[in-house]
Every structure is written in structure tokens, then in C-alpha cells.
Amino acid sequence: MVDWNLAVATATRLVRPGPEVGRDEAREIVAELRGHAMASEDHVRAYTRMVPDGHDPVDTPVLVVDRPGWVKANVAGFRELLGPLFAKMRERRSGSAGGAVLGAVGGKVTGVELGMLLSFMSSRVLGQYETFAPASRDLPAAADGAGRLLLVAPNIVHVERELDVEPHDFRLWVALHEETHRTQFTGVPWLRDHLQGEIQSFLEETDVDPMTLLERLREAAQSLAGGRPEGERDDDGHSIVELVQTPGQREVLSRLTAVMSLLEGHADYVMDGVGPQVVPTVAEIREKFQQRRARGAGRLDMALRKLLGLDAKLRQYRDGERFVRAVVEEVGMDGFNRVWTSPNTLPTKAEIAKPADWVARVHRKADT
């Protein structure tokens, strides 16, 4: 279904060069980012109280990568996560006339188009906790598949220069956000399997014709290449991740949206909570970064963000942070941490919008 090697090669060829940095300065940046990631562990654990005393969470590697390195890591993750879906689509195609030829050609086309999208994304991601990260020779991961933390050095340098903020403070600020994600998954042992189970449930019910998915990828790639006028896209505004066919999938997607809002909002809340203690210029960084987040880089950037579902991700940051803040104000940090008790204590999508309902369900019911 996808020529993964071609996707990597295409993205690597098209990826934009990063900011100009001398060799010695590059070494210093990498070393500093690694140091900030290590320092962030103690800051985040102390603030969130998610890791009990005496508990030694799974250690996961920290990788400071360039843009091609980010592409390779994500292709490996996509390949593992989407394997069941593509196996199902191959099975459907095998019975059709010319299925093998269509598969070979379609895999090349999809590989090129996925590579174009990854090249676009690779210049925008500052950091990422890779939850589903198969280990390779170039990209180590935790032995039990627990994940790895990626910090994309050229993107961090680019943004800190664009915003004209203090570089050392900004790098630590970014590390705090990503370290929170690592703490979420290493401090809550069931979370990774739960999230993977939800994603697989969604994929198992997918009934997408291969050509429909191919057309959606082509639509995104044409927008990126300027091959399709902005006004010609269909008016339904669907993103790639919104190819929902059944009521069951809508339910799974609703739960996934709630979980991702929680995780992203919690990371933003912790980043800002720890920030004043260790990042002197955190207020300036937050203000400038929020303005950058809201405006995007232009009309094409905004269109692609909508198509790829990135505008939904921005809402997750905002809505999730509002939920976490409201709950902590109501029941304190330890009260909020009941959210990590089990899948049943995770907020629903409706509760993300109405935190008092989650408090009523989880706290008042448990306390009566």
C-alpha cells in the first residue's frame, strides 16, 4: 500500500534546510537539549506527582534529531501502527483484477505523496514523544517498546530565532512539554496499551476503499505543491483522520480525541506550571508562541493544517489545558491525578468541555 523507503527518500530530498548553524554551535545545542531533557525529568515528576516515591519508571532514550531523522522515526512508527489496516486493504485488493499491478503502482504513488507530507511536517515539529517506536540500528527505543523522546534541533533553533526569545530558556521550555508526555506514558503503565487498543479498534472497523485513501493523500499533496487552487477543495472540511465510516468508529474517535486533549493540555499546563521556577522568561515565550500557533505561517499553511487535522490538535492544546486547570483548581493535583487510575477515569469528550462533570463522576461518586 505504501512504499515506505520511497516515502523516506522523497521526504529527505524535499525537506527544507534548517537554520545556519556552525559545527561547534550545533554540538553545543545538541548537548544542551540532552541536558534539558534530563533536568526536565525531575522538574516534571516533582510538579505532577505522577511517579510515586520508590517507583522506577521505564527508561526511554532521548534522541536529538534533524529533520530527516524525524521523518525516519515517524515512518517506522506509522509502518508498525498502520500494519493491520494495510493488511486488510491488501486482502481486499488481492481479489480484484489487476490488484498486484495496482498495488505496486499505488504503493509508489502513495510513498511519494506521503513523503511530500512528511517533508512539510518535518519543519514544524519541535519535539515528540514517540509512543509506538520500533527500535532500529539508527533509532534506539526502550527495550519493551515503551517509546522514545525526540527533540528536533533545527526546528527548535528556527523558532527561537523567529520569536526572538532567549535560546536557553526556550529549549528548556520545549523539553518540559515533551518530558511531560514521557512521564505520562512511563508513569502510567496501562496508558500505552490502552491508546494502542483504541487505535487498533478504529483501524479494524475501517472500511475505506484503497483508492479513496489514495485520493485523500493526493489532495493533501496537491495542496502542498500548489497544484490545486485553495477554493476547489470540497466543502466538508474533512481531515485525513476523519475518514470515519461507522458509528463505532465515531465513538472510538471521540474517546481518542478526549485522551489526546488530556495529554496535550496536561503537557501545556505542566510546562507553564514548572516554567516560572526554572525558565525566567517563560511569560514572554508563552505569549509569543501562542501568537505564532494561532496565526500559522500563511494561507497555504492554514489550509494544510485543516486538511491534516492540525487545527484539531491546536484545539486539543487549548481545551485540554482548560480542563486540567479547572480540575486542579477544584480538587488539587492529587485529585486531578485520579484521571490516571484506569481507562474508566479518563475524561470523555463532553467532560473535557465541562470539567465539573468529570469531577462529579470521578470524585463525588468515589467519595460517597
Side-chain angles (χ1 to χ4, degrees), residues 167-340:
H168 304 293
D169 285 2
F170 184 75
R171 294 166 195 173
L172 177 56
W173 188 71
V174 171
L176 288 169
H177 182 101
E178 303 308 331
E179 177 56 39
T180 303
H181 287 315
R182 179 160 64 165
T183 298
Q184 290 164 348
F185 284 96
T186 58
V188 183
W190 55 264
L191 184 58
R192 179 184 184 275
D193 289 342
H194 171 71
L195 190 60
Q196 185 174 31
E198 291 282 56
I199 293 172
Q200 292 305 326
S201 295
F202 180 84
L203 295 178
E204 285 170 6
E205 292 196 23
T206 298
D207 190 24
V208 179
D209 180 79
M211 295 309 296
T212 300
L213 184 59
L214 184 64
E215 180 60 30
R216 186 66 68 179
L217 285 169
R218 181 173 294 114
E219 180 180 342
Q222 287 176 339
S223 296
L224 178 59
R228 184 173 183 176
E230 196 172 327
E232 287 188 10
R233 202 167 68 82
D234 57 337
D235 294 331
D236 60 10
H238 289 320
S239 71
I240 289 174
V241 296
E242 291 176 307
L243 293 172
V244 179
Q245 300 290 307
T246 68
Q249 284 181 308
R250 292 188 183 95
E251 291 179 8
V252 175
L253 191 60
S254 177
R255 294 195 300 268
L256 281 171
T257 299
V259 172
M260 297 310 298
S261 295
L262 171 69
L263 298 180
E264 295 295 356
H266 182 238
D268 263 14
Y269 178 82
V270 172
M271 179 171 60
D272 288 343
V274 175
Q277 306 168 37
V278 296
V279 182
T281 60
V282 65
E284 177 191 0
I285 291 172
R286 164 56 76 183
E287 181 180 1
K288 290 183 175 180
F289 193 78
Q290 288 286 61
Q291 291 173 356
R292 180 182 186 273
R293 225 183 223 175
R295 69 175 180 266
R299 294 177 67 194
L300 176 60
D301 185 74
M302 295 293 285
L304 280 166
R305 279 180 10 181
K306 185 173 185 62
L307 182 62
L308 298 175
L310 300 184
D311 56 340
K313 188 173 180 66
L314 296 181
R315 289 195 298 273
Q316 289 170 7
Y317 285 113
R318 182 192 65 227
D319 298 344
E321 196 274 342
R322 187 182 299 136
F323 169 84
V324 175
R325 185 174 300 280
V327 171
V328 172
E329 289 177 354
E330 178 72 17
V331 296
M333 185 64 75
D334 291 332
F336 165 78
N337 281 340
R338 287 195 189 182
V339 78
W340 313 116

Side-chain angles (χ1 to χ4, degrees), residues 110-150:
T110 309
V112 169
E113 293 175 340
L114 179 60
M116 293 177 67
L117 296 176
L118 287 170
S119 71
F120 170 79
M121 294 293 298
S122 68
S123 63
R124 282 155 173 76
V125 176
L126 301 182
Q128 174 184 357
Y129 184 76
E130 264 203 301
T131 314
F132 312 105
S136 67
R137 183 181 61 184
D138 299 329
L139 296 165
D144 61 352
R148 58 186 167 224
L149 180 62
L150 304 180

Side-chain angles (χ1 to χ4, degrees), residues 9-39:
T10 301
T12 302
R13 185 175 69 253
L14 296 178
V15 70
R16 297 176 181 178
E20 292 187 12
V21 176
R23 181 173 298 180
D24 291 341
E25 184 182 3
R27 290 197 188 99
E28 292 174 0
I29 292 169
V30 170
E32 184 175 23
L33 287 172
R34 290 185 185 280
H36 284 331
M38 293 180 61

Side-chain angles (χ1 to χ4, degrees), residues 155-170:
N155 296 349
I156 293 173
V157 173
H158 171 78
V159 174
E160 71 191 26
R161 291 179 179 179
E162 177 187 334
L163 298 182
D164 190 25
V165 293
E166 209 289 318
H168 304 293
D169 285 2
F170 184 75

